[in-house]
Coordinates of all heavy atoms in Angstrom, one line a residue:
M1 N 217.0 120.1 -2.9 CA 217.9 120.7 -3.9 C 219.2 121.2 -3.1 O 219.2 121.4 -1.9 CB 217.3 122.0 -4.5 CG 216.2 121.6 -5.5 SD 215.8 123.1 -6.4 CE 214.7 122.5 -7.5
A2 N 220.3 121.2 -3.8 CA 221.5 121.6 -3.2 C 222.3 122.6 -4.0 O 222.0 122.8 -5.2 CB 222.4 120.3 -3.1
D3 N 223.2 123.3 -3.4 CA 224.0 124.2 -4.2 C 225.4 123.6 -4.2 O 226.1 123.5 -3.2 CB 224.1 125.6 -3.4 CG 224.8 126.6 -4.3 OD1 224.9 126.5 -5.5 OD2 225.2 127.6 -3.7
I4 N 225.8 123.1 -5.4 CA 227.0 122.3 -5.6 C 228.1 123.2 -6.2 O 227.9 123.9 -7.2 CB 226.8 121.1 -6.5 CG1 225.6 120.3 -6.0 CG2 228.0 120.3 -6.7 CD1 225.8 119.6 -4.7
K5 N 229.3 123.1 -5.6 CA 230.5 123.8 -6.1 C 231.7 122.9 -6.1 O 231.6 121.8 -5.6 CB 230.7 125.1 -5.4 CG 231.0 124.9 -3.9 CD 231.1 126.3 -3.2 CE 231.3 126.1 -1.7 NZ 230.2 125.5 -1.0
C6 N 232.8 123.3 -6.6 CA 234.0 122.5 -6.7 C 234.4 122.0 -5.4 O 234.4 122.7 -4.4 CB 235.1 123.3 -7.4 SG 236.5 122.4 -7.7
G7 N 234.6 120.6 -5.3 CA 235.1 120.0 -4.0 C 233.9 119.5 -3.2 O 234.2 118.7 -2.2
D8 N 232.7 119.7 -3.6 CA 231.5 119.2 -2.8 C 231.3 117.7 -3.2 O 231.5 117.4 -4.4 CB 230.3 120.0 -3.1 CG 230.3 121.3 -2.4 OD1 231.1 121.6 -1.5 OD2 229.4 122.2 -2.7
V9 N 230.8 116.9 -2.3 CA 230.5 115.6 -2.5 C 229.0 115.5 -2.5 O 228.3 116.0 -1.7 CB 231.1 114.6 -1.4 CG1 230.6 113.2 -1.6 CG2 232.6 114.8 -1.4
F10 N 228.4 114.8 -3.6 CA 227.0 114.7 -3.7 C 226.6 113.3 -4.2 O 227.4 112.6 -4.7 CB 226.4 115.8 -4.6 CG 226.9 115.7 -6.1 CD1 226.1 115.0 -7.0 CD2 228.1 116.3 -6.4 CE1 226.5 115.0 -8.3 CE2 228.5 116.2 -7.8 CZ 227.7 115.5 -8.7
K11 N 225.4 112.9 -3.9 CA 224.9 111.6 -4.4 C 223.7 111.8 -5.2 O 223.0 112.8 -5.1 CB 224.7 110.6 -3.3 CG 223.5 111.0 -2.4 CD 223.4 109.9 -1.3 CE 222.2 110.2 -0.4 NZ 222.0 109.2 0.6
R12 N 223.5 110.8 -6.1 CA 222.3 110.9 -7.0 C 221.8 109.5 -7.2 O 222.5 108.6 -7.5 CB 222.8 111.5 -8.4 CG 221.7 111.5 -9.4 CD 222.2 112.1 -10.7 NE 221.2 112.2 -11.6 CZ 221.1 112.9 -12.7 NH1 222.1 113.8 -12.9 NH2 220.1 112.9 -13.5
Y13 N 220.5 109.4 -7.1 CA 219.8 108.2 -7.3 C 219.2 108.2 -8.7 O 218.5 109.2 -9.1 CB 218.7 107.9 -6.3 CG 217.8 106.7 -6.7 CD1 218.3 105.4 -6.5 CD2 216.6 106.9 -7.3 CE1 217.5 104.3 -6.9 CE2 215.8 105.8 -7.7 CZ 216.3 104.5 -7.5 OH 215.5 103.5 -7.9
E14 N 219.4 107.2 -9.5 CA 218.8 107.1 -10.9 C 218.2 105.7 -11.0 O 218.8 104.7 -10.7 CB 219.9 107.3 -11.9 CG 220.6 108.7 -11.9 CD 221.7 108.8 -12.9 OE1 222.8 108.4 -12.5 OE2 221.4 109.2 -14.0
R15 N 217.0 105.7 -11.5 CA 216.2 104.5 -11.7 C 217.0 103.6 -12.6 O 217.6 104.0 -13.6 CB 214.9 104.7 -12.3 CG 214.0 103.5 -12.4 CD 212.8 103.8 -13.1 NE 211.8 104.4 -12.2 CZ 210.6 104.7 -12.5 NH1 210.2 104.5 -13.8 NH2 209.8 105.2 -11.7
Y16 N 217.2 102.3 -12.2 CA 217.9 101.3 -12.9 C 219.4 101.4 -12.9 O 220.1 100.5 -13.3 CB 217.4 101.1 -14.4 CG 215.9 101.0 -14.6 CD1 215.2 102.0 -15.2 CD2 215.3 99.9 -14.0 CE1 213.9 101.9 -15.4 CE2 213.9 99.8 -14.2 CZ 213.2 100.8 -14.9 OH 211.8 100.7 -15.0
L17 N 219.9 102.5 -12.4 CA 221.4 102.7 -12.3 C 221.9 102.7 -10.9 O 223.1 102.6 -10.7 CB 221.8 104.0 -13.0 CG 221.4 104.2 -14.5 CD1 221.9 105.5 -15.0 CD2 222.0 103.1 -15.3
G18 N 221.0 102.8 -9.9 CA 221.4 102.8 -8.5 C 221.8 104.1 -8.0 O 221.5 105.2 -8.6
T19 N 222.4 104.1 -6.8 CA 222.8 105.4 -6.2 C 224.3 105.5 -6.4 O 225.1 104.6 -6.1 CB 222.5 105.3 -4.7 OG1 221.1 105.2 -4.5 CG2 222.9 106.6 -4.0
T20 N 224.7 106.7 -6.8 CA 226.1 107.0 -7.1 C 226.6 108.2 -6.3 O 225.9 109.2 -6.2 CB 226.4 107.2 -8.6 OG1 225.8 106.1 -9.3 CG2 227.8 107.3 -8.9
T21 N 227.8 108.1 -5.8 CA 228.4 109.2 -5.0 C 229.5 109.8 -5.9 O 230.3 109.1 -6.4 CB 229.0 108.8 -3.7 OG1 227.9 108.1 -2.9 CG2 229.5 109.9 -2.9
F22 N 229.5 111.2 -6.0 CA 230.4 111.9 -6.9 C 231.1 113.0 -6.1 O 230.6 113.5 -5.1 CB 229.7 112.6 -8.0 CG 228.9 111.8 -8.9 CD1 227.5 111.5 -8.7 CD2 229.4 111.2 -10.1 CE1 226.7 110.8 -9.5 CE2 228.6 110.5 -10.9 CZ 227.3 110.2 -10.7
V23 N 232.3 113.4 -6.5 CA 232.9 114.6 -6.0 C 233.0 115.6 -7.2 O 233.4 115.2 -8.3 CB 234.3 114.4 -5.4 CG1 235.3 113.8 -6.3 CG2 234.8 115.7 -4.8
C24 N 232.5 116.8 -7.0 CA 232.5 117.8 -8.1 C 233.9 118.3 -8.3 O 234.6 118.8 -7.4 CB 231.6 118.9 -7.7 SG 231.3 120.1 -9.0
M25 N 234.3 118.3 -9.6 CA 235.6 118.8 -10.0 C 235.6 120.2 -10.6 O 236.7 120.9 -10.6 CB 236.3 117.8 -11.0 CG 236.3 116.4 -10.5 SD 237.2 116.2 -8.9 CE 238.9 116.5 -9.5
E26 N 234.5 120.6 -11.1 CA 234.4 122.0 -11.7 C 233.0 122.5 -11.3 O 232.1 121.8 -11.1 CB 234.4 121.9 -13.2 CG 235.8 121.7 -13.8 CD 235.8 121.8 -15.4 OE1 234.8 122.2 -15.9 OE2 236.8 121.3 -15.9
S27 N 232.9 123.8 -11.3 CA 231.6 124.4 -11.1 C 230.7 124.2 -12.2 O 231.0 123.6 -13.2 CB 231.8 125.9 -10.9 OG 232.6 126.2 -9.8
L28 N 229.4 124.5 -12.0 CA 228.4 124.3 -13.0 C 228.7 124.8 -14.4 O 229.3 125.9 -14.5 CB 227.0 124.9 -12.6 CG 226.3 124.3 -11.4 CD1 225.2 125.2 -11.0 CD2 225.8 122.9 -11.7
I29 N 228.4 124.0 -15.4 CA 228.6 124.5 -16.8 C 227.2 124.4 -17.4 O 226.6 123.4 -17.4 CB 229.6 123.5 -17.6 CG1 230.9 123.5 -16.9 CG2 229.7 123.9 -19.0 CD1 231.8 122.4 -17.4
Q30 N 226.8 125.5 -18.0 CA 225.5 125.5 -18.7 C 225.5 124.7 -19.9 O 226.4 124.8 -20.8 CB 225.0 126.9 -19.0 CG 223.6 127.0 -19.4 CD 223.1 128.4 -19.5 OE1 223.8 129.4 -19.4 NE2 221.8 128.6 -19.7
S31 N 224.5 123.8 -20.1 CA 224.3 123.0 -21.3 C 224.0 123.9 -22.5 O 223.4 124.9 -22.4 CB 223.2 122.0 -21.1 OG 222.9 121.3 -22.3
K32 N 224.5 123.4 -23.6 CA 224.2 124.2 -24.9 C 222.8 123.9 -25.4 O 222.3 124.7 -26.2 CB 225.2 123.8 -25.9 CG 226.6 124.2 -25.6 CD 227.6 123.8 -26.7 CE 229.0 124.1 -26.5 NZ 229.5 125.0 -25.5
G33 N 222.2 122.8 -24.9 CA 220.8 122.5 -25.4 C 219.7 123.2 -24.7 O 218.8 123.6 -25.4
Y34 N 219.7 123.3 -23.4 CA 218.6 123.9 -22.6 C 219.2 124.9 -21.6 O 220.2 124.7 -21.0 CB 217.9 122.8 -21.9 CG 217.3 121.7 -22.8 CD1 218.0 120.5 -23.0 CD2 216.1 121.9 -23.4 CE1 217.5 119.5 -23.8 CE2 215.6 121.0 -24.2 CZ 216.2 119.8 -24.4 OH 215.7 118.8 -25.3
K35 N 218.5 126.0 -21.5 CA 219.0 127.1 -20.6 C 218.9 126.8 -19.1 O 219.7 127.3 -18.4 CB 218.3 128.4 -20.9 CG 216.8 128.4 -20.5 CD 216.2 129.8 -20.8 CE 214.8 129.8 -20.3 NZ 214.2 131.1 -20.5
N36 N 218.1 125.8 -18.7 CA 218.0 125.5 -17.3 C 218.7 124.2 -16.9 O 218.6 123.7 -15.8 CB 216.6 125.5 -16.7 CG 215.8 124.4 -17.2 OD1 216.1 123.8 -18.3 ND2 214.8 124.0 -16.5
E37 N 219.4 123.6 -17.9 CA 220.1 122.4 -17.7 C 221.6 122.6 -17.6 O 222.2 123.4 -18.3 CB 219.9 121.4 -18.9 CG 220.5 120.1 -18.8 CD 220.1 119.2 -19.9 OE1 220.9 119.2 -20.9 OE2 219.1 118.5 -19.9
Y38 N 222.2 122.0 -16.6 CA 223.6 122.3 -16.3 C 224.3 120.9 -16.2 O 223.8 119.9 -15.9 CB 223.7 123.0 -14.9 CG 223.3 124.4 -15.0 CD1 222.0 124.8 -14.9 CD2 224.2 125.5 -15.3 CE1 221.6 126.1 -15.0 CE2 223.8 126.8 -15.4 CZ 222.5 127.1 -15.3 OH 222.1 128.4 -15.4
L39 N 225.6 121.0 -16.3 CA 226.5 119.8 -16.3 C 227.5 120.0 -15.1 O 228.0 121.1 -14.9 CB 227.3 119.7 -17.6 CG 226.5 119.5 -18.8 CD1 227.4 119.5 -20.0 CD2 225.6 118.3 -18.8
L40 N 227.7 119.0 -14.3 CA 228.7 119.0 -13.3 C 229.8 118.0 -13.6 O 229.5 116.8 -13.8 CB 228.0 118.5 -11.9 CG 227.0 119.4 -11.3 CD1 226.2 118.7 -10.2 CD2 227.7 120.6 -10.7
Y41 N 231.0 118.5 -13.9 CA 232.1 117.6 -14.2 C 232.5 117.0 -12.9 O 233.0 117.7 -12.0 CB 233.2 118.4 -14.8 CG 234.4 117.5 -15.3 CD1 234.2 116.6 -16.3 CD2 235.6 117.7 -14.7 CE1 235.3 115.8 -16.6 CE2 236.7 116.9 -15.0 CZ 236.5 115.9 -16.0 OH 237.6 115.1 -16.4
S42 N 232.5 115.7 -12.8 CA 232.6 115.0 -11.5 C 233.4 113.7 -11.6 O 233.5 113.1 -12.7 CB 231.3 114.7 -10.8 OG 230.5 115.9 -10.8
T43 N 233.9 113.2 -10.5 CA 234.6 111.9 -10.4 C 233.7 111.0 -9.5 O 233.2 111.4 -8.5 CB 236.0 112.1 -9.7 OG1 236.8 113.0 -10.5 CG2 236.7 110.7 -9.6
V44 N 233.5 109.8 -10.0 CA 232.7 108.8 -9.3 C 233.5 108.3 -8.1 O 234.6 107.7 -8.3 CB 232.3 107.7 -10.2 CG1 231.5 106.6 -9.4 CG2 231.5 108.2 -11.4
L45 N 233.0 108.4 -6.9 CA 233.6 107.8 -5.7 C 233.1 106.4 -5.4 O 233.9 105.5 -5.1 CB 233.4 108.7 -4.5 CG 234.0 110.1 -4.5 CD1 233.6 110.9 -3.3 CD2 235.5 110.0 -4.7
S46 N 231.8 106.2 -5.5 CA 231.2 104.9 -5.3 C 229.9 104.8 -6.0 O 229.3 105.8 -6.3 CB 231.1 104.6 -3.8 OG 230.1 105.5 -3.2
T47 N 229.5 103.5 -6.3 CA 228.2 103.3 -7.0 C 227.6 102.0 -6.6 O 228.4 101.0 -6.2 CB 228.4 103.4 -8.5 OG1 227.1 103.3 -9.1 CG2 229.4 102.4 -9.0
T48 N 226.3 101.9 -6.6 CA 225.6 100.6 -6.3 C 225.2 99.9 -7.6 O 224.8 98.8 -7.6 CB 224.4 100.8 -5.4 OG1 223.5 101.7 -6.1 CG2 224.8 101.4 -4.1
G49 N 225.3 100.6 -8.7 CA 224.9 100.0 -10.0 C 226.2 99.6 -10.8 O 227.3 99.7 -10.3
D50 N 225.9 99.2 -12.0 CA 227.0 98.8 -12.9 C 227.2 99.8 -14.1 O 228.0 99.5 -15.0 CB 226.9 97.4 -13.4 CG 225.6 97.2 -14.1 OD1 224.8 98.1 -14.2 OD2 225.3 96.1 -14.6
F51 N 226.5 100.9 -14.1 CA 226.7 101.9 -15.2 C 228.0 102.6 -15.1 O 228.7 102.8 -16.1 CB 225.5 102.8 -15.2 CG 225.5 103.8 -16.4 CD1 225.1 103.3 -17.7 CD2 225.8 105.1 -16.2 CE1 225.1 104.2 -18.8 CE2 225.8 106.0 -17.3 CZ 225.5 105.5 -18.6
Y52 N 228.3 103.1 -13.9 CA 229.5 103.9 -13.7 C 230.5 102.9 -13.0 O 230.2 102.0 -12.4 CB 229.3 105.0 -12.7 CG 228.3 106.1 -13.2 CD1 227.1 106.3 -12.6 CD2 228.7 106.9 -14.2 CE1 226.2 107.2 -13.0 CE2 227.8 107.9 -14.7 CZ 226.6 108.1 -14.1 OH 225.7 109.0 -14.5
E53 N 231.8 103.3 -13.1 CA 232.9 102.6 -12.4 C 233.5 103.6 -11.5 O 233.6 104.8 -11.9 CB 233.8 102.0 -13.4 CG 233.3 100.8 -14.2 CD 234.3 100.0 -14.9 OE1 235.5 100.1 -14.5 OE2 234.0 99.3 -15.8
E54 N 234.1 103.2 -10.4 CA 234.8 104.1 -9.5 C 235.9 104.8 -10.2 O 236.6 104.2 -11.0 CB 235.3 103.3 -8.3 CG 234.1 102.9 -7.4 CD 234.6 102.2 -6.1 OE1 235.8 102.2 -5.9 OE2 233.7 101.6 -5.4
M55 N 236.1 106.0 -9.9 CA 237.1 106.9 -10.4 C 236.9 107.3 -11.9 O 237.8 107.9 -12.5 CB 238.5 106.3 -10.2 CG 238.9 106.0 -8.7 SD 238.5 107.4 -7.6 CE 239.7 108.6 -8.0
D56 N 235.8 107.0 -12.4 CA 235.4 107.5 -13.8 C 235.2 109.0 -13.7 O 234.7 109.5 -12.7 CB 234.1 106.9 -14.3 CG 234.4 105.6 -15.0 OD1 235.6 105.2 -15.1 OD2 233.4 104.9 -15.3
E57 N 235.6 109.8 -14.7 CA 235.3 111.2 -14.7 C 234.1 111.4 -15.7 O 234.2 111.0 -16.9 CB 236.5 112.0 -15.1 CG 237.6 111.9 -14.1 CD 238.8 112.7 -14.4 OE1 238.9 113.3 -15.6 OE2 239.7 112.8 -13.6
V58 N 233.0 111.9 -15.2 CA 231.8 112.0 -16.0 C 231.2 113.4 -15.9 O 231.5 114.2 -14.9 CB 230.8 111.0 -15.6 CG1 231.3 109.6 -15.9 CG2 230.4 111.1 -14.1
Y59 N 230.3 113.7 -16.8 CA 229.4 114.9 -16.7 C 228.1 114.5 -16.2 O 227.4 113.6 -16.8 CB 229.3 115.6 -18.0 CG 230.5 116.5 -18.4 CD1 231.4 115.9 -19.3 CD2 230.6 117.7 -17.9 CE1 232.5 116.7 -19.7 CE2 231.7 118.5 -18.3 CZ 232.7 118.0 -19.1 OH 233.8 118.7 -19.5
V60 N 227.6 115.0 -15.0 CA 226.3 114.7 -14.5 C 225.4 115.8 -14.9 O 225.6 117.0 -14.6 CB 226.4 114.6 -12.9 CG1 225.0 114.3 -12.3 CG2 227.4 113.6 -12.5
T61 N 224.3 115.4 -15.5 CA 223.3 116.4 -16.0 C 222.3 116.7 -14.9 O 221.8 115.8 -14.2 CB 222.5 115.9 -17.2 OG1 223.5 115.5 -18.2 CG2 221.6 116.9 -17.8
T62 N 222.0 118.0 -14.7 CA 221.1 118.4 -13.6 C 220.4 119.7 -14.1 O 220.7 120.2 -15.1 CB 221.9 118.6 -12.3 OG1 220.9 118.9 -11.2 CG2 222.9 119.7 -12.4
I63 N 219.4 120.1 -13.3 CA 218.7 121.3 -13.6 C 219.0 122.3 -12.5 O 219.5 121.9 -11.4 CB 217.2 121.1 -13.7 CG1 216.6 120.6 -12.4 CG2 216.9 120.2 -14.9 CD1 215.1 120.7 -12.4
R64 N 218.7 123.6 -12.7 CA 218.9 124.6 -11.7 C 217.6 125.4 -11.6 O 217.1 126.0 -12.6 CB 220.1 125.5 -12.0 CG 220.4 126.4 -10.9 CD 221.7 127.1 -11.2 NE 222.1 127.9 -10.0 CZ 223.3 128.3 -9.9 NH1 224.3 128.1 -10.7 NH2 223.6 129.0 -8.8
K65 N 217.1 125.5 -10.4 CA 215.9 126.4 -10.2 C 216.1 127.2 -8.9 O 216.6 126.7 -7.9 CB 214.6 125.5 -9.9 CG 214.0 124.9 -11.1 CD 212.7 124.2 -10.6 CE 211.9 123.7 -11.8 NZ 210.7 123.0 -11.3
Y66 N 215.7 128.4 -9.0 CA 215.8 129.3 -7.8 C 217.2 129.4 -7.2 O 217.3 129.5 -6.0 CB 214.8 128.9 -6.7 CG 213.4 128.7 -7.3 CD1 212.8 127.5 -7.3 CD2 212.7 129.8 -7.9 CE1 211.5 127.3 -7.8 CE2 211.4 129.6 -8.4 CZ 210.8 128.3 -8.4 OH 209.6 128.1 -8.9
G67 N 218.2 129.3 -8.0 CA 219.6 129.3 -7.6 C 220.1 128.1 -7.0 O 221.2 128.0 -6.5
K68 N 219.3 127.0 -6.9 CA 219.8 125.7 -6.4 C 219.8 124.6 -7.4 O 219.0 124.7 -8.4 CB 218.8 125.3 -5.2 CG 218.7 126.3 -4.1 CD 220.0 126.3 -3.3 CE 219.8 127.2 -2.1 NZ 221.0 127.3 -1.3
V69 N 220.6 123.6 -7.3 CA 220.7 122.5 -8.2 C 219.8 121.4 -7.8 O 219.8 121.0 -6.6 CB 222.2 122.0 -8.3 CG1 222.3 120.9 -9.2 CG2 223.1 123.2 -8.7
G70 N 219.1 120.8 -8.7 CA 218.1 119.8 -8.4 C 218.6 118.4 -8.8 O 219.6 118.3 -9.5
H71 N 217.9 117.4 -8.4 CA 218.2 116.0 -8.7 C 219.5 115.4 -8.1 O 219.9 114.3 -8.4 CB 218.3 115.7 -10.2 CG 217.1 116.2 -11.0 ND1 215.8 115.7 -10.7 CD2 216.9 117.0 -12.0 CE1 215.0 116.2 -11.5 NE2 215.6 117.0 -12.4
V72 N 220.1 116.1 -7.2 CA 221.2 115.6 -6.5 C 221.1 116.0 -5.0 O 220.4 117.0 -4.7 CB 222.6 116.2 -7.0 CG1 222.8 115.7 -8.5 CG2 222.6 117.7 -7.0
E73 N 221.8 115.3 -4.1 CA 221.8 115.6 -2.7 C 223.2 115.8 -2.2 O 224.0 114.9 -2.3 CB 221.1 114.5 -1.9 CG 221.1 114.7 -0.5 CD 220.5 113.5 0.3 OE1 219.9 112.6 -0.4 OE2 220.6 113.5 1.5
K74 N 223.5 117.0 -1.7 CA 224.9 117.3 -1.2 C 225.0 116.6 0.2 O 224.2 116.7 1.0 CB 225.0 118.8 -1.0 CG 226.4 119.2 -0.5 CD 226.5 120.7 -0.4 CE 227.9 121.1 0.2 NZ 228.0 122.5 0.3
I75 N 226.1 115.8 0.3 CA 226.3 115.1 1.6 C 227.6 115.5 2.3 O 227.8 115.1 3.4 CB 226.3 113.5 1.3 CG1 227.4 113.1 0.3 CG2 225.0 113.1 0.8 CD1 227.6 111.6 0.2
G76 N 228.4 116.2 1.7 CA 229.7 116.6 2.4 C 230.6 117.4 1.5 O 230.3 117.8 0.4
V77 N 231.9 117.5 1.9 CA 232.9 118.2 1.2 C 234.1 117.2 1.2 O 234.4 116.6 2.2 CB 233.3 119.5 1.9 CG1 234.4 120.2 1.2 CG2 232.1 120.4 2.0
W78 N 234.8 117.2 0.1 CA 236.0 116.4 -0.1 C 237.2 117.1 0.4 O 237.5 118.2 0.1 CB 236.2 116.0 -1.6 CG 237.3 115.1 -1.8 CD1 238.6 115.4 -2.3 CD2 237.3 113.7 -1.6 NE1 239.3 114.3 -2.4 CE2 238.6 113.2 -2.0 CE3 236.4 112.8 -1.1 CZ2 238.9 111.9 -1.9 CZ3 236.7 111.4 -1.1 CH2 238.0 111.0 -1.4
G79 N 238.0 116.4 1.3 CA 239.2 117.0 1.9 C 240.1 116.0 2.5 O 239.6 115.1 3.2
D80 N 241.4 116.1 2.4 CA 242.4 115.2 3.0 C 242.1 113.7 2.6 O 242.3 112.8 3.4 CB 242.4 115.3 4.5 CG 242.8 116.7 4.9 OD1 243.6 117.3 4.2 OD2 242.3 117.2 6.0
G81 N 241.6 113.5 1.4 CA 241.4 112.2 0.9 C 240.2 111.4 1.4 O 240.1 110.2 1.3
K82 N 239.3 112.2 2.0 CA 238.1 111.6 2.6 C 236.9 112.6 2.6 O 237.1 113.8 2.4 CB 238.3 111.0 4.0 CG 238.7 112.1 5.0 CD 239.0 111.5 6.4 CE 239.4 112.6 7.3 NZ 239.7 112.1 8.6
I83 N 235.7 112.1 2.8 CA 234.5 112.9 2.8 C 234.3 113.5 4.2 O 234.3 112.7 5.2 CB 233.3 112.1 2.4 CG1 233.5 111.5 1.0 CG2 232.0 113.0 2.5 CD1 232.4 110.5 0.6
K84 N 234.1 114.8 4.3 CA 233.7 115.4 5.6 C 232.2 115.6 5.5 O 231.7 116.5 4.7 CB 234.4 116.7 5.8 CG 235.9 116.6 5.9 CD 236.6 117.9 6.0 CE 238.1 117.7 6.1 NZ 238.8 118.9 6.1
Y85 N 231.4 114.8 6.2 CA 230.0 114.7 6.0 C 229.3 116.0 6.7 O 229.8 116.5 7.7 CB 229.4 113.5 6.6 CG 229.7 112.2 5.8 CD1 230.8 111.4 6.1 CD2 228.9 111.9 4.7 CE1 231.1 110.3 5.4 CE2 229.2 110.8 4.0 CZ 230.3 110.0 4.3 OH 230.6 108.9 3.5
I86 N 228.2 116.4 6.1 CA 227.4 117.5 6.7 C 226.5 116.9 7.8 O 225.9 115.8 7.6 CB 226.5 118.1 5.6 CG1 227.4 118.7 4.5 CG2 225.6 119.1 6.2 CD1 226.6 119.2 3.4
K87 N 226.5 117.5 8.9 CA 225.7 117.0 10.0 C 224.3 117.7 10.1 O 224.1 118.7 9.7 CB 226.4 117.1 11.3 CG 227.7 116.3 11.4 CD 228.3 116.4 12.7 CE 229.6 115.6 12.6 NZ 230.3 115.6 13.8

């Protein structure tokens, strides 16, 4: 699980859709349907599937438990037009 905030770069693997890398544009927004479901407004940086296209702006659905966001993996921070990876 990761704690995602604006400017963070994260990746998500989805069955049949491949692995997609996003940069978060807004902080978590709580879904109107479920109290533990959240939306991350993000821009697609790269993808291995054909569902998303690069530079698309999408809402990524995720859950939050114990103060951390699930189903995504934080890999770095966006800055100066590139990813600064976490070591």
